[in-house]
Amino acid sequence: MRHLVVSMNLTLNGFMAASDGGLSWHTDFWDDEIAQAFTLQLAGADTLLLGRKTYEAMAPYWRSIAENVNPPRHDADFNDLMLRHEKVIFSRTLTRAAGWGNCRLANRNIAKEIESLKMGNGKELLIYGSGKLVTSLARLNLINEYRLWVHPVAIQKGRSFLGEFKELPHIKLSSSKKFSSGVVLMCYKAG
């Protein structure tokens, strides 16, 4: 059975994005070491699960990378994986997912879609961002692992990770790693 993994960048004060959805607070910490860690994580998966807002924010960037004849080489392996992986978009309002390779809309209720994906062949299922999707999946106890990338920065206002969650999932720290940029990756197994 495939595992469902959440990979989330967080501020020290628990925000996953600024109030406007901005992520500029974490780009200063993206270096070769972090790029390599994210690439290894992405190589362990073959399917990305995204909520509508995350999809709409990411798709234009990745379309531009795909169309660029000479894309930047510093993250070439990561770029290649992002373009090749299947992307499943969860949305109640989108009628189609187009313009970014290997995208499709989830076509069942969330629990049945995840059950079907988990039972299929392949590597890990990976969620980037997508706070509302993560909250829904956590409430249904469908997440197997949380990989929280805590950045040494705080912001005034933002979108809280699991902010509306009344009962936190039962998780246990399985590993942690400190990066030279000050980012700490904390991996929690659910159960």
Side-chain angles (χ1 to χ4, degrees), residues 2-187:
R2 299 165 81 187
H3 279 214
L4 176 56
V5 177
V6 170
S7 181
M8 186 73 69
N9 289 300
L10 297 172
T11 65
L12 283 174
N13 51 342
F15 294 119
M16 56 180 239
S19 297
D20 64 358
L23 299 172
S24 61
W25 53 267
H26 88 293
T27 56
D28 289 343
F29 301 98
W30 188 270
D31 59 13
D32 290 341
E33 186 183 25
I34 294 287
Q36 182 181 23
F38 266 86
T39 301
L40 287 172
Q41 173 183 252
L42 191 55
D46 60 8
T47 305
L48 297 175
L49 309 182
L50 304 168
R52 179 189 56 82
K53 288 180 183 178
T54 301
Y55 166 73
E56 288 177 340
M58 292 176 83
Y61 173 79
W62 291 106
R63 274 195 301 270
S64 73
I65 292 292
E67 294 167 358
N68 190 340
V69 177
N70 297 308
R73 299 306 302 164
H74 64 279
D75 292 338
D77 293 336
F78 185 81
N79 296 348
D80 183 54
L81 291 168
M82 284 295 288
L83 295 171
R84 284 191 294 126
H85 281 23
E86 176 185 11
K87 275 82 65 185
V88 180
I89 315 308
F90 290 81
S91 173
R92 291 185 183 105
T93 58
L94 290 177
T95 57
R96 65 187 186 100
W100 184 15
N102 302 323
C103 285
R104 71 171 179 84
L105 289 174
N107 55 14
R108 304 172 250 235
N109 79 47
I110 193 169
K112 288 182 180 180
E113 187 73 38
I114 297 300
E115 181 182 333
S116 175
L117 288 166
K118 282 186 165 189
M119 296 304 289
N121 293 323
K123 298 179 180 181
E124 291 178 339
L125 306 165
L126 187 60
I127 302 174
Y128 283 143
S130 307
K132 289 182 180 179
L133 175 61
V134 170
T135 299
S136 296
L137 294 171
R139 283 186 178 131
L140 295 168
N141 293 315
L142 295 173
I143 298 170
N144 299 98
E145 184 177 355
Y146 296 82
R147 295 180 189 154
L148 308 179
W149 304 77
V150 181
H151 296 255
V153 65
I155 57 177
Q156 290 292 325
K157 294 181 181 178
R159 296 181 184 167
S160 179
F161 178 60
L162 298 178
E164 298 177 20
F165 210 76
K166 296 195 179 8
E167 185 177 326
L168 293 176
H170 297 284
I171 56 176
K172 183 176 181 175
L173 183 67
S174 60
S175 66
S176 63
K177 179 178 180 175
K178 179 183 173 278
F179 293 88
S180 59
S181 63
V183 172
V184 177
L185 170 60
M186 296 183 295
C187 301

